[in-house]
């Protein structure tokens, strides 16, 4: 029985190799599977769409195998792979290299999501560590390329087959770039990989981008480039829409001429929608000036248009401007690059003078030279982005006259950089000055009423007016005021006696501060602040007040029951005048008095504390009158 218990309590020991395999993180396998699934989903989406069109077509010219070959070819074309069409009338192969940019979005997004999911980043800090970035990137790219290579082999013998040179170039580029973006985003967008990639730039550009605030500089350049590119794309799409409306009759005729059945028209409509981003960048190149080619030697630009005489019927090609010299409506397309340059300059100015977060100190702004340099960097980034997109948007549609279709990438990129720098530079400098002026106006100290010049509310200098207001409120709530004034005097007279008894011959303990400031006069109304106060005025007024208070609090012979001696009030250190402005009054020991056996002569009238001059004994506010003496 004991042996059975021992065997069940102790698990069987495993070898070190089996233990490592059991506890191994399945990062590479999951990444390979994720990349393969992403490629399969992309190809499956195209296959479903093509099969639906094939099934609904009344006159299919091939079987299911032919439809799957077309789906695979379209999936490869979405990656930028150039296709070759062999079923031509002449028998010569014809290249098809215009990539519908809208189709490119699907594979890029699928690979990006696969890489993010494969990283398996924990939701909190206590979770397991994420899968290493190199492992995820390698697995996703290999898995995707494995399925992509199989699809290319499947389409190699079809009528619409891929060009293997472009298969080996475009397919790995799309997979590697999208996977790298997904891994980088899953790790929180660190800046080290980006800075390492930018190390290949020339030294002057590295000096502009790298530094203490390199993250802010690079972020500003990227945001400005993205905004300018979006303006180019939106402006080009607007030009395409306006031209389609202008040539609506021709576009409708070409749409009907291509096919007769609704299935074919729906396919043409889908192809036209997928080519809208291409047409937008063609129009952006047209607005920039270089224009685009509609065949070899047939250039279309704002100043002159020479399209090819025999264009295939297609709705988007019907929107091409008419042949002939340019007109003012054609020249109005130049507003698109102007708007893009202004947008880029405004974003650079925002980065040059950043508004601080609430509660954070103001960030240092860029100099004029650095702002101008960042505009040039943004123009360079815009040139690279427009050149890449223009190259993807165009390509060959055949041989001979149709060998070159679309914008010339290097001309479009150069024109985009020039326009962005030309209009972005003055806008960035002007907006920078405007934002600096707005920050100084907003952060400057504006004096509040009653607080003095340059004093904010709640500062020590703003307490004088508040103290006077409280004295006025206390004065107003006293009724006749004389009895309460004498009561306060009696209370002030008792405090030094307690301090003296507790001191026992030593230095008297200072009394607590009175709730009513001693250096404030009892005014019936608040006096106006002196706009030009002087030190001599304050010292003289303070000395006069203390003299009046000492005279009013001097000891006098009081009749019974007034046996408590009057004691001079010892002012606090906070309300005493400075030593250099007025001498400090020395408090002398007060003589002890004995009770009087014979009636004392009537007391002399005391001065009113509300005035520096002795008060009239017969006035209603006199202390003697208020107490009956």
């Amino acid at each position: 029985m004991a042996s059975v218990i021992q065997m069940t309590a102790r698990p069987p020991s495993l070898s070190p190799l089996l233990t490592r395999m059991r506890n191994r993180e399945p990062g590479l396998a999951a990444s390979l599977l994720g990349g393969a699934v992403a490629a399969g989903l992309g190809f499956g989406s195209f296959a479903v769409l093509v099969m639906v069109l094939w099934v609904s077509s009344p006159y299919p010219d091939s079987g299911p195998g032919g439809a799957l070959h077309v789906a695979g070819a379209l999936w490869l074309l979405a990656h930028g792979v150039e296709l070759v069409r062999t079923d031509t009338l002449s028998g010569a192969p014809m290249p098809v290299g215009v990539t519908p940019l809208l189709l490119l979005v699907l594979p890029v997004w699928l690979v990006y999501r696969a890489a993010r999911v494969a990283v398996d980043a924990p939701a909190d800090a206590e979770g397991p560590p994420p899968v290493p970035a190199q492992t995820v990137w390698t697995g996703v790219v290999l898995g995707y390329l494995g399925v992509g290579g199989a699809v290319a082999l499947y389409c190699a013998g079809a009528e619409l087959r891929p060009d293997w040179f472009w298969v080996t170039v475009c397919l790995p580029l799309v997979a590697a770039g999208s996977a790298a973006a997904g891994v980088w985003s899953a790790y929180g967008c660190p800046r080290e990989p980006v800075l390492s990639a930018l190390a290949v730039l020339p030294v002057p550009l590295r000096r502009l981008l790298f530094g203490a605030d390199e993250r802010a500089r690079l972020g500003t350049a990227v945001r400005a480039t993205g905004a300018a590119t979006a303006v180019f794309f939106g402006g080009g799409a607007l030009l395409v829409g306006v031209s389609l409306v202008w040539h609506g009759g021709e576009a409708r005729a070409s749409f009907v001429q291509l096919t007769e059945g609704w299935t074919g028209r729906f396919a043409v409509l889908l192809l036209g929608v997928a080519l809208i981003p291409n047409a937008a960048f063609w129009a952006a190149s047209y607005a920039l000036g270089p224009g685009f080619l509609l065949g070899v030697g047939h250039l279309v630009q704002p100043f002159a248009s020479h399209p090819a005489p025999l264009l295939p019927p297609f709705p988007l090609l019907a929107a091409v401007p008419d042949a002939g010299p340019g007109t003012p409506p054609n020249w109005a397309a130049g507003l698109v690059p102007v708007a893009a340059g202004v947008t880029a300059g405004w974003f650079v100015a925002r980065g040059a003078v950043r508004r601080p977060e609430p509660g954070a100190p103001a960030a240092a702004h860029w100099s004029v030279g650095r702002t101008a340099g960042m505009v040039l960097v943004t123009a360079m980034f815009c040139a690279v982005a427009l050149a890449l997109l223009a190259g993807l948007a165009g390509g060959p549609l055949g041989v001979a006259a149709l060998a070159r279709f679309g914008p010339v990438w290097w001309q479009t990129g150069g024109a985009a950089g020039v326009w962005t720098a030309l209009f972005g530079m003055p806008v960035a400098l002007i907006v920078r000055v405007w934002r600096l002026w707005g920050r100084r106006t907003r952060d400057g100290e504006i004096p509040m009423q009653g607080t003095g010049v340059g004093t904010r509310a709640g500062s020590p200098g703003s307490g004088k007016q508040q103290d006077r207001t409280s004295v006025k409120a206390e004065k107003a709530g006293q009724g006749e005021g004389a009895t309460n004034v004498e009561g306060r005097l009696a209370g002030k007279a008792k405090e030094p006696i307690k301090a003296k008894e507790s001191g026992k011959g030593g230095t008297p303990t200072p009394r607590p501060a009175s709730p009513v400031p001693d250096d404030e006069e009892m005014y019936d109304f608040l006096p106006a602040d002196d706009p030009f106060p002087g030190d001599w005025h304050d010292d003289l007024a303070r000395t006069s007040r203390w003299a009046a208070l000492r005279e009013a609090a001097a000891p006098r012979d009081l009749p019974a029951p007034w046996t408590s001696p009057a004691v001079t009030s010892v002012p606090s250190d906070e309300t005493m005048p400075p030593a250099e402005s007025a001498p400090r009054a020395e408090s002398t020991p007060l003589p002890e008095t004995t009770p009087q056996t014979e009636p004392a002569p009537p007391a002399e009238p005391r001065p009113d504390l509300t005035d520096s001059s002795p008060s009239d004994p017969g006035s209603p506010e006199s202390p003697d009158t208020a107490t009956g003496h």
Side-chain angles (χ1 to χ4, degrees), residues 307-335:
L310 298 177
L311 289 175
F314 194 73
L316 290 179
L317 292 179
V320 174
D322 299 330
T327 58
N330 301 111
W331 303 335
L335 295 176

Side-chain angles (χ1 to χ4, degrees), residues 170-249:
C170 297
L171 200 63
L173 282 178
V174 173
S178 304
V183 173
W184 180 67
S185 175
Y187 270 88
C189 303
R191 63 178 181 178
E192 287 77 13
V194 180
L195 297 179
S196 300
L198 293 177
V200 299
L201 296 176
V203 176
L205 291 179
R206 290 205 303 267
R207 290 177 181 175
L208 288 175
L209 290 175
F210 297 163
D213 56 344
E214 55 191 13
R215 189 182 185 90
R217 301 184 200 175
L218 185 59
T220 299
V222 170
R223 285 191 295 270
T225 303
T229 306
V231 172
F232 278 120
F233 176 76
L238 180 62
L239 293 178
V240 171
V242 172
S243 184
L244 279 175
V245 173
W246 189 269
H247 302 86

